[in-house]
Amino acid sequence: MSVDRRKFLSWSLQAGAGVSAGALPLSIQRALAAEPAVETGTINDIKHIVILMQENRGFNHYFGTMRGVRGFGDRFPVPLENGKPVWFQSNGEREVAPFHMDPQAFNALLAPSTPHSFADSQGAWNQGKFGQWPLYKKDNSMGYFTREDIPFQFALAEAFTICDGYHCSITAGTDPNRITFWAGSNFNPTLAKQGINCTDADSEPDNLRCWIANPEKDIWPVPGYTYKDSAFEWPTLPDLLQAAGVTWRIYQNPNDNWTGAMNGCLAFASFRNAQPGSPIYEQGMSHWTLEQLAEDVMNDTLPAVSWVLPPREFSEHPGAPSSPQKGGWYTEQVLNALTANPEVWSRTVFLLTFDENDGLFDHLPAPAPPSYNLDGTLAGAATLPLAGEYFSDPERKHIDQRDLTSGNLRPFGLSARVPMYVVSPWSKGGWVCSEVFDHTSLALFFEKRFGFTVPNVSPWHRAVCGDLTSAFDFTGRKDHAPVAMPSMDNYAASDAEQRARGPYVVPTPHQPLLQERGTRPSRALGYELHAGTTAISATALTLEFHNSGSIGAVFHVYDRLHLDRIPRRYTVEAGKQLSDSWDLAADAGKHDLWVYGPHGFVRVFRNLAPVTASMPQCSLEYQAAQGSVVLTLDNFGTAPCQLLISDEAYSSGGPWQIALMPGESRQQTFDIGSTGNWYDFAVRLEGNDAVLQQFAGRMETGQHSISDPALGT
């Protein structure tokens, strides 16, 4: 079919929109100027991994308005119980939609934190139903910033790679997520492997084990720390690195790490019991400054793995004493240290992420094991055992008493998205990587690079969460553009100016949701997903989920005729498939099922009229080598039907009319190579405006592409 190639060229050129050369801070000039030291063209060329985990920022909160990422321009928001899109959350009295926390009008950059415990996070997520986010998280949880408000964060993403599918691991706060990040699991992996769901005796649903018991008295190294609860026994990532002979270090001030909370390893016996002279004590509990980090870079003595723990003031945590400006300044100092020696930087990866989202709103349904219905049945299924992936709270100590959507057995996560910047000579160029990642992905990245196994990572996480390698191009191709990076040296003046302004006001009526138009380069991914109906009658419908790709995925199914129900979730490992059925008897065959997968994958299966003699069904197959997709249309009924196919987003032509006799099958091929392999085709019965079936997403070809050109408003 004919496609306007000039339109595709304009989309591609927009990938560089907003990117310009300018006067850059020295650290960023050096970071962008250095080319990777390519020896093997593989992950083994990385000699140094440096990790900074900041505090409590959500993806939509920072980047919901940025072009080319899954943000406020998402065309397929999941539905709420009242049928409205996910944007319109309730605080119990009125709706609160995402709103701009404008620093020019309010004290927005120092706005207070929001609730972020296991209980309120479960309540806000609502097992995937959403609906009451500000009720549990407060109204300011719906606030967001723009490019003008946080220029450093935007510029860092424009210069390197941003991940828009990176989730925190646990629907909770700091400790649960930092423990996962530092050890690969926050629940006892031995019990989980036995199929035993953990309680708070052997997992960390809320902040407890990393926090020093007496911060006024517990000074390191003398008299040392005391702790609030028992220690975990499974090995941390530093323990495993040490056993594998891989050098590592934690750069921190042990007496300025937010009373221990920055260091997830403090929950573990190996750290609590470390003695002077031991590697854990010397490298993981001692005082190592940013100045020493810079010296190690200059002297080419930087360990293979380094963690940097921020002081509380520069942790980027919402509310005073930190701010995006202070966090940006601290990041700039880390980059100053890392780029001081170009030879070292050419072999270094810097990973910057956040432990959790505070209580800040995210609109994407979090990939998670299926939830339990109130009757004890599972809302979904998986191709692997799920026992051990749930938090058991029989006394409801960690569940809000208002949260009655599910019972006392809850999925640990995944939870909301948080930013992840991949900063390295192998990730320059303003890319987006949309594979599903979480905090266990760091452990998987270590496995890939150093060749040892992290036994704590659960089979479910291994099936669903990537190892971060898709965010890189290890061939070292030079395809990046210069980016103007603002200096954050004025953070003190900015914070002072903010304090002089009044507190934010939630706007009424709702503000229009805005996202920048344009695309950005998008990494190739291993997804090849299929969902389709295999049987439809007046009494039942069967959906089949097939994963022919190289990475696992979670499918979410929202039943728009029964939005009071928990959406079903299906975990399908790479190379596997499963099916499930819906009872349609009470609805006389009517159905309206929306299937969501990663990276914009959407399927719609709808029939709002009683089942008749005409029963068309459709399926979509990929032809990656030809740059096309094929729609197969079957009429399994006893009467002829006339179908209308339309392109819903990418102006590729049509509509196309297809006549089907009873028992007849027809195919229609669509060239999508000129749209970056993005597609969105709807099939209707002629004369009926209601979509019968719809297929949207991106076909993966093994080659890099662009982000969804239809994103943005």
Side-chain angles (χ1 to χ4, degrees), residues 93 130 171 237 279 287 298 334 524 533 583 685:
E93 298 178 356
F130 295 95
T171 50
L237 294 183
H287 192 171
M298 288 301 298
V334 175
T533 56
D583 185 347
L685 284 170

Side-chain angles (χ1 to χ4, degrees), residues 480-613:
H480 61 279
V483 178
M485 291 288 293
S487 171
M488 289 287 97
D489 286 344
N490 67 338
Y491 70 82
S494 171
D495 283 3
E497 189 273 340
Q498 286 290 284
R499 290 189 182 94
R501 296 188 181 275
Y504 73 92
V505 177
V506 178
T508 53
H510 302 317
Q511 296 175 339
L513 273 179
L514 300 176
Q515 182 176 357
E516 301 167 345
R517 293 305 300 264
T519 63
R520 65 181 56 246
S522 176
R523 291 297 187 195
L525 304 175
Y527 293 120
E528 190 174 281
L529 306 176
H530 312 265
T533 56
T534 59
I536 303 177
S537 70
T539 58
L541 176 149
T542 299
L543 278 183
E544 183 175 86
F545 308 93
H546 180 207
N547 184 351
S548 57
S550 60
I551 49 179
V554 172
F555 297 87
H556 312 252
V557 183
Y558 284 78
D559 185 343
R560 285 179 178 258
L561 299 186
H562 299 281
L563 290 172
D564 57 314
R565 299 173 183 171
I566 294 174
R568 300 190 197 182
R569 288 189 297 277
Y570 299 88
T571 299
V572 184
E573 297 165 277
K576 295 188 179 183
Q577 63 186 47
L578 56 77
S579 61
D580 203 359
S581 297
W582 274 256
D583 185 347
L584 306 182
D587 298 310
K590 296 180 183 179
H591 56 271
D592 193 1
L593 302 178
W594 289 57
V595 181
Y596 294 80
H599 195 27
F601 177 95
V602 175
R603 299 290 187 264
V604 177
F605 305 99
R606 172 191 288 151
N607 184 5
L608 300 183
V611 173
T612 65

Side-chain angles (χ1 to χ4, degrees), residues 44-339:
N44 293 325
D45 290 340
I46 297 173
K47 306 304 179 187
H48 308 285
I49 302 169
V50 180
I51 306 123
L52 170 61
M53 175 175 270
Q54 293 285 71
E55 280 282 295
N56 295 46
R57 298 288 177 175
F59 188 87
N60 276 351
H61 172 67
Y62 265 12
F63 294 119
T65 64
M66 189 170 78
R67 63 183 175 84
V69 300
R70 194 62 53 179
F72 295 136
D74 196 336
R75 295 188 305 114
F76 295 103
V78 300
L80 299 176
E81 191 166 345
N82 60 13
K84 291 185 178 183
V86 71
W87 315 116
F88 301 102
Q89 301 288 308
S90 172
N91 65 8
E93 298 178 356
R94 62 183 179 88
E95 286 182 349
V96 184
F99 65 93
H100 180 206
M101 299 181 74
D102 187 355
Q104 300 303 314
F106 313 117
N107 179 7
L109 296 173
L110 296 175
S113 181
T114 57
H116 44 277
S117 70
F118 186 88
D120 55 68
S121 298
Q122 284 279 317
W125 174 50
N126 203 14
Q127 307 306 304
K129 291 173 59 177
F130 295 95
Q132 300 176 320
W133 200 285
L135 175 66
Y136 287 94
K137 300 287 194 177
K138 309 300 181 186
D139 288 0
N140 61 313
S141 66
M142 304 296 290
Y144 63 82
F145 296 126
T146 66
R147 181 182 297 270
E148 292 72 27
D149 306 332
I150 51 172
F152 183 89
Q153 284 78 5
F154 268 72
L156 192 61
E158 298 287 7
F160 294 97
T161 295
I162 188 74
C163 299
D164 67 351
Y166 189 103
H167 296 253
C168 51
S169 297
I170 310 295
T171 50
T174 291
D175 278 19
N177 282 288
R178 285 188 177 260
I179 289 170
T180 306
F181 190 66
W182 289 77
S185 178
N186 91 318
F187 51 91
N188 189 322
T190 300
L191 294 179
K193 289 174 183 176
Q194 298 171 15
I196 299 173
N197 294 309
C198 291
T199 68
D200 58 9
D202 35 52
S203 68
E204 184 87 340
D206 283 306
N207 290 348
L208 181 63
R209 288 174 171 86
C210 296
W211 294 77
I212 299 166
N214 298 296
E216 300 300 322
K217 299 179 181 179
D218 294 350
I219 306 301
W220 190 266
V222 178
Y225 296 154
T226 57
Y227 301 94
K228 295 182 177 181
D229 203 353
S230 60
F232 293 142
E233 298 290 340
W234 57 94
T236 66
L237 294 183
D239 290 316
L240 295 168
L241 289 168
Q242 186 66 37
V246 179
T247 58
W248 63 277
R249 179 174 296 158
I250 301 174
Y251 293 86
Q252 64 168 332
N253 180 348
N255 296 311
D256 188 8
N257 59 4
W258 212 319
T259 63
M262 298 294 98
N263 191 343
C265 292
L266 296 185
F268 292 86
S270 63
F271 272 68
R272 292 186 182 186
N273 300 330
Q275 297 300 308
S278 69
I280 295 294
Y281 186 99
E282 300 300 331
Q283 305 302 326
M285 300 289 283
S286 302
H287 192 171
W288 296 93
T289 66
L290 286 187
E291 291 76 16
Q292 288 169 305
L293 173 66
E295 289 178 8
D296 287 335
V297 171
M298 288 301 298
N299 296 331
D300 198 5
T301 55
L302 186 67
V305 177
S306 303
W307 284 269
V308 178
L309 302 189
R312 174 177 177 174
E313 183 178 3
F314 295 100
S315 66
E316 224 158 320
H317 196 290
S322 199
S323 67
Q325 279 62 26
K326 281 184 175 177
W329 178 85
Y330 188 79
T331 300
E332 192 176 340
Q333 307 319 302
V334 175
L335 279 171
N336 276 331
L338 295 179
T339 59

Side-chain angles (χ1 to χ4, degrees), residues 360-417:
L360 298 161
F361 172 71
D362 188 35
H363 76 283
L364 282 193
S371 298
Y372 279 92
N373 296 309
L374 284 173
D375 63 3
T377 59
L378 205 58
T383 58
L384 73 168
L386 293 172
E389 294 288 348
Y390 296 85
F391 173 60
S392 177
D393 189 15
E395 299 177 7
R396 296 182 67 90
K397 293 186 294 182
H398 301 274
I399 299 175
D400 193 294
Q401 298 308 307
R402 299 169 294 178
D403 179 6
L404 302 176
T405 300
S406 184
N408 302 332
L409 200 60
R410 303 293 181 94
F412 276 109
L414 304 181
S415 187
R417 292 178 300 162

